[in-house]
Amino acid sequence: MDFATGLTYTLFCLLLTATLGFNSSLLTTLSLVAISLMQTAPLMMRRSKPWLATLIITLGHLLQLAFAGLVLPSQLSVPIMVYTMAVYGKRWQSFTTLGFGWIGALLATFSMFNSANSSYGFFSFDMMVSFVGLALVVTVSWTFGDLARNRRLTMKALQDHAARLENERIIERDLAAADERNHIAREMHDIVAHSLSVIITQADGARYAAVKDPSIAIDTLKTVSDTGRASLREMRRLLGVLRKDEEVANRPLPTLANIPDLVQNAETAGLDVRFGFEGSPRKELPAGAELTAYRSVQEALTNVVKHAGPNTTASVQLSWISRGLEISIEDNGRGAGSLTFDGQGYGLQGMSERVALYDGTCSASPRTGGGFTVSVFIPYSED
């Protein structure tokens, strides 16, 4: 755009300048054409190289002073370049161009009024009016350019701010997605690991029992079927949350009241479990905290079934104290020696992460004399 408009303006000025110098000598005409070219051609690069264009145009106007009182149509490039430098030039270049414009207005005034055929004094009133008029043109051009510059910088700042907000939104979305992936991984581990452990244990028992007593195998397979259905319901609930299905997503999550059912399922799987309950709650735990307690007991019993071995006795103790809920799961099996944290230990790791969300503590360690113990503490959420 700058090249096209600058080229058009240059050709127009060259034609008018050549017409003005038609009655002059060839040298004078060529000189005027050259000066006009210097004053207009740089406009074709006024935004790509504004400072270089300003210097060339300034030089062209200085050379024009040799022709006292001469006015060329190419002098319109002065307010154009003053405006351009105010918008796109560096700050010091903008003010320098403004100074060039004022000095040029003064020199142009002297050139017009102090020519050889002029009877004006050194600095008359008419000269002052001329200087003020030319300087005002320069100043107004620079002012409009400076306003455009401030608007451009403001728009750029707003665009940068919008870009930063967009980047922050993307980062927050990625963090939320990562957190949700961890949450889903914990839920999947709790559902799948517990249910499959029970199903595998019962299936193995049914296979051996079927040799001697087929009726035992039938009861055992019923337990496998019930456990599979319960796991399927949990999976559907979890997938329903991912699909934003309100009817499925709003189904109640497991709470402390469901822990006895969890213990009963473990007993059905062949584990001897004693369940104890002490104290009374001073206030209710949040729904998420109760789900965390449920998942902690589920994970601990799953580890007992997987790692403790046969003829194992376990105990689940829930104790309400003044500061919150204490949960203890102990067993006398061989799990302390055989626990290898399959799958990078996501079970115990997930349990610790869940409990930490509610400012609780979680520890898992071998017992003195054999067995394993898991201790969980979930404090009240004090206002």
Side-chain angles (χ1 to χ4, degrees):
M1 181 62 69
D2 290 342
F3 180 81
T5 55
L7 179 60
T8 302
Y9 178 63
T10 299
L11 295 176
F12 176 74
C13 291
L14 291 178
L15 179 61
L16 290 181
T17 302
T19 302
L20 291 175
F22 184 75
N23 296 325
S24 303
S25 63
L26 179 62
L27 180 60
T28 301
T29 302
L30 293 178
S31 300
L32 293 177
V33 170
I35 291 174
S36 179
L37 185 64
M38 292 181 64
Q39 293 176 350
T40 56
L43 293 178
M44 290 184 285
M45 57 177 184
R46 68 184 186 93
R47 281 188 292 185
S48 60
K49 297 180 180 179
W51 184 238
L52 178 60
T54 299
L55 294 179
I56 296 175
I57 291 175
T58 301
L59 179 60
H61 283 80
L62 290 176
L63 294 177
Q64 185 184 341
L65 294 176
F67 300 87
L70 179 65
V71 178
L72 296 176
S74 56
Q75 290 180 263
L76 185 61
S77 61
V78 172
I80 296 176
M81 277 312 302
V82 170
Y83 174 87
T84 302
M85 285 302 302
V87 177
Y88 301 105
K90 297 179 181 179
R91 206 60 178 160
W92 67 270
Q93 294 174 344
S94 173
F95 284 109
T96 302
T97 303
L98 178 62
F100 284 169
W102 287 340
I103 294 173
L106 182 62
L107 295 177
T109 299
F110 278 108
S111 176
M112 287 186 295
F113 286 90
N114 292 330
S115 60
N117 298 325
S118 177
S119 60
Y120 289 94
F122 179 73
F123 200 80
S124 64
F125 176 77
D126 291 341
M127 295 174 64
M128 182 178 297
V129 172
S130 176
F131 168 72
V132 171
L134 294 175
L136 186 61
V137 172
V138 172
T139 304
V140 170
S141 300
W142 183 88
T143 302
F144 277 105
D146 194 62
L147 291 175
R149 173 195 185 91
N150 291 334
R151 182 179 180 277
R152 181 173 61 87
L153 294 178
T154 301
M155 292 298 296
K156 186 177 184 301
L158 292 176
Q159 291 173 354
D160 292 341
H161 181 66
R164 286 196 299 270
L165 291 178
E166 178 65 16
N167 291 335
E168 291 175 1
R169 186 187 67 81
I170 294 175
I171 293 174
E172 290 176 356
R173 183 191 64 188
D174 293 342
L175 291 176
D179 182 70
E180 187 63 21
R181 284 195 297 269
N182 291 333
H183 173 72
I184 294 172
R186 289 193 297 265
E187 289 288 330
M188 293 289 289
H189 178 276
D190 292 338
I191 295 171
V192 176
H194 174 74
S195 301
L196 289 182
S197 297
V198 174
I199 290 173
I200 291 172
T201 302
Q202 292 295 314
D204 288 340
R207 185 179 60 182
Y208 294 119
V211 177
K212 297 181 179 180
D213 191 350
S215 62
I216 297 179
I218 294 175
D219 294 337
T220 304
L221 291 176
K222 182 178 182 300
T223 302
V224 172
S225 177
D226 293 340
T227 303
R229 288 191 178 94
S231 176
L232 182 59
R233 286 194 298 269
E234 287 287 303
M235 290 294 294
R236 284 175 175 170
R237 180 190 63 79
L238 180 60
L239 295 177
V241 172
L242 298 180
R243 298 192 192 103
K244 305 295 183 183
D245 186 274
E246 294 185 0
E247 181 181 356
V248 178
N250 291 330
R251 291 179 182 176
L253 296 172
T255 62
L256 294 176
N258 299 110
I259 291 181
D261 297 335
L262 191 63
V263 172
Q264 184 177 0
N265 291 337
E267 291 177 341
T268 305
L271 181 65
D272 183 10
V273 186
R274 294 191 299 270
F275 177 68
F277 190 91
E278 293 182 357
S280 59
R282 176 166 56 86
K283 57 186 297 187
E284 291 186 358
L285 291 176
E290 292 197 9
L291 176 61
T292 295
Y294 178 90
R295 294 304 188 197
S296 298
V297 175
Q298 185 181 47
E299 173 62 26
L301 290 179
T302 299
N303 286 336
V304 174
V305 173
K306 290 171 60 178
H307 303 292
N311 301 323
T312 300
T313 300
S315 65
V316 177
Q317 183 70 35
L318 273 63
S319 302
W320 289 99
I321 61 176
S322 60
R323 295 187 301 114
L325 175 63
E326 288 184 344
I327 304 174
S328 177
I329 304 96
E330 298 181 349
D331 69 83
N332 60 356
R334 55 176 174 81
S338 63
L339 189 61
T340 58
F341 293 96
D342 294 337
Q344 302 180 10
Y346 286 141
L348 295 177
Q349 178 183 341
M351 184 192 305
S352 299
E353 292 175 352
R354 286 180 182 273
V355 174
L357 290 176
Y358 294 93
D359 298 324
T361 58
C362 177
S363 62
S365 60
R367 295 176 57 198
T368 302
F372 205 76
T373 180
V374 177
S375 298
V376 175
F377 172 69
I378 302 177
Y380 290 116
S381 298
E382 303 293 349
D383 295 332

